Amino acid sequence: MRAGVFGGTFNPIHKGHLMVAERVFQRFSLDRLYIIPCRVPPHKFPVFLAPAAERVRMIQLALPTDSRYRLSDVEIQRNGPSYTIDTVDHFKTRITPGATLFLMMGMDAFLEIHTWKSYRRLLETVQVVVVIRRVDGRMPASGDFSRMDGYIRSRLSEDYHHVHEPPCWQRAGENRIHLLPTRPIDISSSQIRQRIRAGKEIVDLVPPKVNAYIEKKELYR
């Protein structure tokens, strides 16, 4: 089995998240993709973090009617900060034993991965997928490549070598670090929260059911 692990606050989930999920499905031929909202993010602290139950419900409303998409509340049920290595260990031992796991994240998050709990073991356990935005949705820009390459060699290991197509880095006998270009969509959860506080529409940014739920519950006001 090939399973994707897509974590975050999802505060709220939006069309950009779903676009990235679909791109990862296509690129890595996943059998499943788990959306995992966190209870307490260890590296960032949103000022307007909706209650966990509300974020879970919005994800349920947003996910396609496709059995390959799964919602996991493993981090919601865990007390304290949500460390990625703990979640990956949970999936490896209980949810998807024997599966190849693909861990999705943005460039900014990846460039801090050396500060994460047990990051070296994490890199040995999962295939990291670093998602970047490109106008053509294809090859990464030279600047993106340079940032990744410099960081990997200086912070992680000089033993990584670059593979040009598809773009990734690999050490002998270890999992790859993939660079995945996607088409840019100018959407972020913080932008959505700002628009709501300003009394502006968000119908073009989130799935219709999520928009209706936010209005009904008067979230982020």
Side-chain angles (χ1 to χ4, degrees):
M1 178 187 291
R2 297 165 68 84
V5 177
F6 188 5
T9 55
F10 299 104
N11 188 41
I13 191 169
H14 53 68
K15 291 181 178 179
H17 291 132
L18 300 176
M19 181 275 294
V20 168
E22 182 59 31
R23 178 78 175 97
V24 173
F25 260 121
Q26 295 171 357
R27 169 65 183 82
F28 298 101
S29 301
L30 300 184
D31 298 296
R32 293 180 188 171
L33 175 63
Y34 292 88
I35 306 294
I36 310 173
C38 67
R39 182 185 184 94
V40 180
H43 293 284
K44 60 180 181 179
F45 302 92
V47 177
F48 299 96
L49 183 62
E54 305 286 18
R55 290 182 284 123
V56 166
R57 182 55 183 153
M58 286 188 282
I59 293 171
Q60 292 172 331
L61 294 170
L63 292 186
T65 55
D66 182 332
S67 61
R68 298 177 303 164
Y69 284 86
R70 306 290 177 92
L71 168 66
S72 171
D73 66 352
V74 58
E75 294 191 356
I76 297 296
Q77 297 300 325
R78 183 187 302 141
N79 292 324
S82 301
Y83 293 107
T84 301
I85 188 61
D86 297 334
T87 299
V88 166
D89 285 345
H90 175 82
F91 272 81
K92 276 290 187 181
T93 58
R94 300 186 183 184
I95 308 300
T96 56
T100 301
L101 288 183
F102 294 82
L103 175 65
M104 300 160 57
M105 67 182 69
M107 175 77 82
D108 290 345
F110 176 74
L111 295 179
E112 296 181 346
I113 202 168
H114 68 284
T115 68
W116 292 18
K117 177 183 176 182
S118 303
Y119 77 94
R120 293 197 180 278
R121 184 160 64 85
L122 180 65
L123 294 172
E124 295 171 355
T125 306
V126 300
Q127 303 256 357
V128 174
V129 179
V130 181
V131 180
I132 60 170
R133 297 175 180 179
R134 292 286 290 127
V135 173
D136 57 11
R138 297 180 183 176
M139 293 302 292
S142 59
D144 295 324
F145 167 79
S146 296
R147 291 178 70 196
M148 286 279 292
D149 192 65
Y151 175 78
I152 289 171
R153 296 180 189 281
S154 65
R155 291 287 191 174
L156 304 183
S157 174
E158 294 182 352
D159 295 334
Y160 278 97
H161 68 274
H162 178 246
V163 178
H164 289 279
E165 186 59 35
C168 66
W169 285 259
Q170 188 173 22
R171 292 176 72 186
E174 293 194 8
N175 288 317
R176 294 183 173 186
I177 299 171
H178 302 270
L179 189 57
L180 180 66
T182 63
R183 295 188 180 279
I185 296 183
D186 188 20
I187 304 176
S188 69
S189 295
S190 59
Q191 173 194 7
I192 292 170
R193 298 193 301 270
Q194 290 170 3
R195 289 179 66 90
I196 292 172
R197 291 197 299 273
K200 298 180 179 179
E201 294 288 336
I202 60 166
V203 65
D204 55 332
L205 306 179
V206 299
K209 290 182 179 180
V210 173
N211 182 56
Y213 188 83
I214 289 173
E215 290 185 350
K216 177 182 177 180
K217 295 291 186 175
E218 298 185 345
L219 299 177
Y220 307 115
R221 300 187 185 282

